[in-house]
Amino acid sequence: MSGSRQGGRRDAGERADLARTVAFDALRAVNDDEAYANLVLPELLRERGVNARDAAFATELTYGTLRSTGTYDQIVQTCAGRSLADLDPPVIDALRLGAHQLLSTRVPPHAAVSTTVDLVRTHVHEGAAKFANAVLRRVGEQDLDGWAEQLAPPRETDLAGYLAFRHGHPAWIVRAFSDALRGDAEALEAALIADNEPAPVALAVRPGRGDVEELVSAGAQPARWSPYGATLVSGDPGKLAAVRAGRAGVQDEGSQLVTVALSRVEISGPDERWLDMCAGPGGKAALLAGLTAGPGAQLLAVEKHEHRARLVEQALRGDPGEHEVLVADATDPPWPEEDFDRVLLDAPCTGLGALRRRPEARWRRQSADVGPLRRLQISLLDAGIRSVRPGGIVAYVTCSPHLAETVTVVDDVLKSRGDAERVDARPYLPGVPDLGDGPDVQLWPHVHGTDAMYLALLRRK
Ligand SMILES: C[S@@+](CC[C@H](N)C(=O)[O-])C[C@H]1O[C@@H](n2cnc3c(N)ncnc32)[C@H](O)[C@@H]1O
């Protein structure tokens, strides 16, 4: 009896170390080879045959460590008494992983320290393992609030700086969120906390090809507001028959809502030509293509990059409606002016609204990225308005709440052109609560449970 219990404990220990090794290897790939965690981690889990429970632990460790890397780095540097630049990269990643377990999980401190030290011993050398042991013991001397008190700017005088440290975001992103939330401190903290929660797996059926009932009978729950959406509580979406057959795809409910909103705006006159200006990889194009069936319209899906245009073609494969995929630069349209009745511009952006899905993205993005993206967004929106006929509608969408990519882009383009006006977008997201004062809509993870999608609807005069 006691032998089998001991065996059970040993198995559990070995499994836990497998999870930590996978997390460590994922961190190395992300930080050394610029890999994306959401791509590299599933591959590692598959390769090593990790079971579901350990995969969940490895995912929590990888995502949690990456999200708060900036905070853990400051703590580790303090405890190491030297700059990270003076440490071996594998040691840095192991210390981040150890700090995460000590400060943000329920892993017992002795296990957090000893398993991390083992990783360093295996992957670096004994001397580095002793060093890691000493550093992590110091990290564990206080909790995250204690470290925030010691290392973060005071909450009273620099709220953004304090929250950036406490909730693992770069300060420039915290300030951008604060501006978009009009300085509401409580909402700001809730938004940052929501960014550190795993995002639900949201699915969308392609209208005319699949229906929500099929997803529900496969174990998903109907989405709260999108008539085409469902949420998968557990399991791999890639295994669902509807997803494999292209009748449904993975798509955030916020993305569905802004796309459906464009199709709902009343327009007088013809409703035959729809344009998706920035279509790759094709999630919104697939939904739009299904929605063209109502008025019997055709969809032109445009994408600048060839390989992403191929993904759009894949997403549209099997759609019974009329559609075409075109590789083109939408800032310099090859189509005539005023050629379309509805235009979707889902603009390239910083992606600050989807940080919960891409744990490393917040540290890769720089505030210097905003200026060039904004210039591109302005140029695309100007082309979008030129492309729609008078009375037609343009939906300007970003998955970023940064004001320099949202409201002020629209303000500047409307001011410079004078031939388009905002339409209140809120009525086209029926049932969705807390949409603010309008006319534009800003969704938030902490309010709506969606990515922070922004939508402005503009009618050509
Ligand atoms: C935010 S993504 C669009 C996501 C897409 N709507 C979906 O739901 O799957 C922006 C896309 O615009 C493309 N893009 C960037 N600049 C462009 C341009 N000048 N003309 C057309 N497409 C462009 C990018 O390659 C990228 O695929």
Side-chain angles (χ1 to χ4, degrees):
M1 277 282 286
S2 83
S4 79
R5 270 208 309 274
Q6 264 183 8
R9 269 207 299 274
R10 199 167 41 240
D11 284 354
E14 279 162 9
R15 280 206 309 271
D17 288 341
L18 176 60
R20 287 184 175 94
T21 304
V22 167
F24 175 73
D25 290 343
L27 294 180
R28 298 297 305 121
V30 168
N31 293 326
D32 234 26
D33 306 334
E34 303 219 350
Y36 297 99
N38 65 336
L39 301 182
V40 81
L41 182 62
E43 219 173 278
L44 284 169
L45 294 171
R46 225 181 355 256
E47 261 171 29
R48 313 236 173 127
V50 182
N51 70 29
R53 223 185 61 198
D54 295 336
F57 185 43
T59 304
E60 199 291 318
L61 291 179
T62 309
Y63 274 48
T65 304
L66 287 170
R67 286 185 181 118
S68 290
T69 288
T71 299
Y72 298 148
D73 283 359
Q74 287 185 58
I75 297 170
V76 163
Q77 287 195 119
T78 304
C79 296
R82 61 177 96 158
S83 151
L84 289 191
D86 298 332
L87 301 180
D88 271 353
V91 176
I92 299 172
D93 276 332
L95 290 172
R96 288 169 174 156
L97 188 58
H100 176 64
Q101 292 172 71
L102 284 166
L103 301 172
S104 306
T105 72
R106 291 186 192 164
V107 172
H110 67 271
V113 174
S114 67
T115 53
T116 309
V117 170
D118 283 349
L119 276 175
V120 177
R121 185 175 294 119
T122 310
H123 292 271
V124 192
H125 53 68
E126 183 60 37
K130 284 200 178 116
F131 169 75
N133 187 38
V135 172
L136 288 175
R137 282 181 192 284
R138 260 172 253 147
V139 171
E141 279 169 9
Q142 39 187 341
D143 63 12
L144 197 50
D145 286 326
W147 283 114
E149 208 156 294
Q150 186 177 328
L151 297 179
R155 190 180 178 119
E156 303 70 38
T157 53
D158 180 0
L159 181 67
Y162 174 84
L163 293 178
F165 181 95
R166 183 62 188 77
H167 298 295
H169 283 66
W172 72 272
I173 294 181
V174 179
R175 282 190 207 102
F177 283 13
S178 175
D179 291 345
L181 291 162
R182 299 179 186 179
D184 179 338
E186 210 176 301
L188 175 60
E189 189 155 19
L192 300 174
I193 291 170
D195 259 356
N196 291 342
E197 300 288 334
V201 177
L203 301 166
V205 292
R206 276 83 197 246
R209 284 198 269 167
D211 57 51
V212 172
E213 276 313 303
E214 181 184 359
L215 298 177
V216 170
S217 53
Q221 286 174 357
R224 282 152 311 162
W225 307 298
S226 166
Y228 306 104
T231 305
L232 195 61
V233 183
S234 64
D236 178 355
K239 295 202 170 130
L240 296 181
V243 173
R244 292 167 82 99
R247 295 191 293 276
V250 174
Q251 186 176 46
D252 176 66
E253 190 178 4
S255 291
Q256 299 172 44
L257 292 169
V258 296
T259 309
V260 175
L262 169 64
S263 74
R264 283 180 167 149
V265 185
E266 310 80 20
I267 56 174
S268 55
D271 191 6
E272 295 160 357
R273 307 242 326 128
W274 292 15
L275 170 67
D276 182 350
M277 292 177 73
C278 287
K284 293 186 191 68
L287 185 50
L288 267 189
L291 296 171
T292 55
Q298 315 165 325
L299 174 71
L300 176 65
V302 175
E303 167 56 49
K304 184 175 178 184
H305 300 106
E306 177 83 38
H307 67 285
R308 290 175 74 81
R310 298 289 81 85
L311 297 175
V312 181
E313 275 169 3
Q314 258 172 44
L316 293 177
R317 197 167 294 150
D319 178 75
E322 251 189 89
H323 61 253
E324 187 190 337
V325 178
L326 179 70
V327 179
D329 180 348
T331 61
D332 182 18
W335 52 85
E337 296 207 358
E338 303 184 8
D339 201 25
F340 292 92
D341 304 305
R342 295 180 198 265
V343 173
L344 173 65
L345 169 51
D346 184 20
C349 70
T350 52
L352 300 189
L355 295 181
R356 54 193 190 144
R357 295 184 193 281
R358 300 177 202 132
E360 69 283 342
R362 65 189 73 176
W363 307 107
R364 285 196 182 155
R365 274 282 172 214
Q366 304 293 323
S367 58
D369 299 339
V370 176
L373 281 166
R374 175 185 164 79
R375 284 191 285 282
L376 176 59
Q377 290 153 0
I378 287 176
S379 162
L380 284 164
L381 183 53
D382 190 75
I385 295 173
R386 273 187 277 131
S387 302
V388 81
R389 66 160 171 90
I393 291 285
V394 177
Y396 175 72
V397 168
T398 62
C399 66
S400 165
H402 197 309
L403 293 179
E405 301 186 88
T406 59
V407 180
T408 66
V409 165
V410 177
D411 288 347
D412 284 7
V413 173
L414 290 185
K415 213 180 313 157
S416 74
R417 295 193 56 91
D419 61 351
E421 62 193 0
R422 278 183 161 98
V423 173
D424 189 347
R426 294 170 298 169
Y428 303 105
L429 286 80
V432 181
D434 299 317
L435 293 179
D437 301 333
D440 306 347
V441 160
Q442 178 61 66
L443 301 173
W444 286 97
H446 67 285
V447 180
H448 305 99
T450 63
D451 290 348
M453 302 298 300
Y454 166 82
L455 167 69
L457 292 174
L458 311 174
R459 194 185 295 276
R460 181 99 189 251
K461 289 198 244 176

